[in-house]
Amino acid sequence: MDHLISFELLSSIAGAVHVFFFILESILLPKSVTVQKIFGVRREHMNGSIALFSVNQGYYNLMLALATFYGLYHGELELVKGILFIYVGAATVLFISTSGKLYRGAIVQGIPALAALLMGGTKNFTKRNKGKDASETRIMIKSD
């Protein structure tokens, strides 16, 4: 499998993971006791600021995912690389700030993004348009 396809596939997985986090944090966490247990939140704490925080966090993850998909669809792969660094950085902060207690979340959040960066992060992607129609856009990899 070539590096560009691997990069795009792993980037898509990283984006999908963040859509999943949006669903967990913004939709399910305020209502589901099971999801609250996953996040270590007590039901009585879901009123007020924690509920607001979880909804905000979920939408933040959704916006990052949408930016990832936008970049992939439009061939803006340097944008995608930047977002992948955000995913890896956030996973690292999650792991460190919880003393490893939320390591599963950090792994799920960080590994697809890190793998994508390792597959294509060292490549310098550029976009070349052969015509005015976006369907004619071709992605090229510059040689280092």
Side-chain angles (χ1 to χ4, degrees):
M1 188 181 305
D2 98 15
H3 288 283
L4 179 60
I5 293 170
S6 299
F7 176 81
E8 290 176 330
L9 177 64
L10 290 165
S11 297
S12 296
I13 291 169
V17 163
H18 283 75
V19 171
F20 177 68
F21 285 147
F22 159 73
I23 293 167
L24 282 177
E25 294 167 342
S26 293
I27 298 170
L28 297 178
L29 182 61
K31 300 174 185 172
S32 169
V33 174
T34 303
V35 176
Q36 291 166 6
K37 286 181 183 177
I38 291 170
F39 283 91
V41 176
R42 293 188 181 137
R43 185 146 188 81
E44 60 268 14
H45 294 149
M46 284 310 299
N47 296 328
S49 61
I50 290 182
L52 180 61
F53 170 78
S54 72
V55 169
N56 181 60
Q57 187 69 25
Y59 274 93
Y60 179 82
N61 282 315
L62 180 63
M63 295 303 116
L64 285 172
L66 291 175
T68 301
F69 297 134
Y70 173 89
L72 288 168
Y73 181 78
H74 290 285
E76 301 290 342
L77 300 184
E78 294 299 319
L79 168 67
V80 174
K81 282 176 22 179
I83 296 167
L84 293 172
F85 278 111
I86 293 170
Y87 291 157
V88 172
T92 303
V93 169
L94 176 64
F95 183 81
I96 292 170
S97 66
T98 64
S99 301
K101 292 177 187 169
L102 296 179
Y103 72 92
R104 286 185 198 106
I107 288 170
V108 169
Q109 182 176 14
I111 293 299
L114 180 60
L117 287 169
L118 292 174
M119 287 303 278
T122 61
K123 304 291 181 203
N124 189 6
F125 298 116
T126 61
K127 184 172 78 170
R128 178 174 55 165
N129 291 320
K130 289 193 169 204
K132 294 179 183 178
D133 184 2
S135 65
E136 295 180 24
T137 299
R138 301 287 181 261
I139 305 297
M140 303 299 292
I141 300 176
K142 288 183 183 176
S143 298
D144 292 333

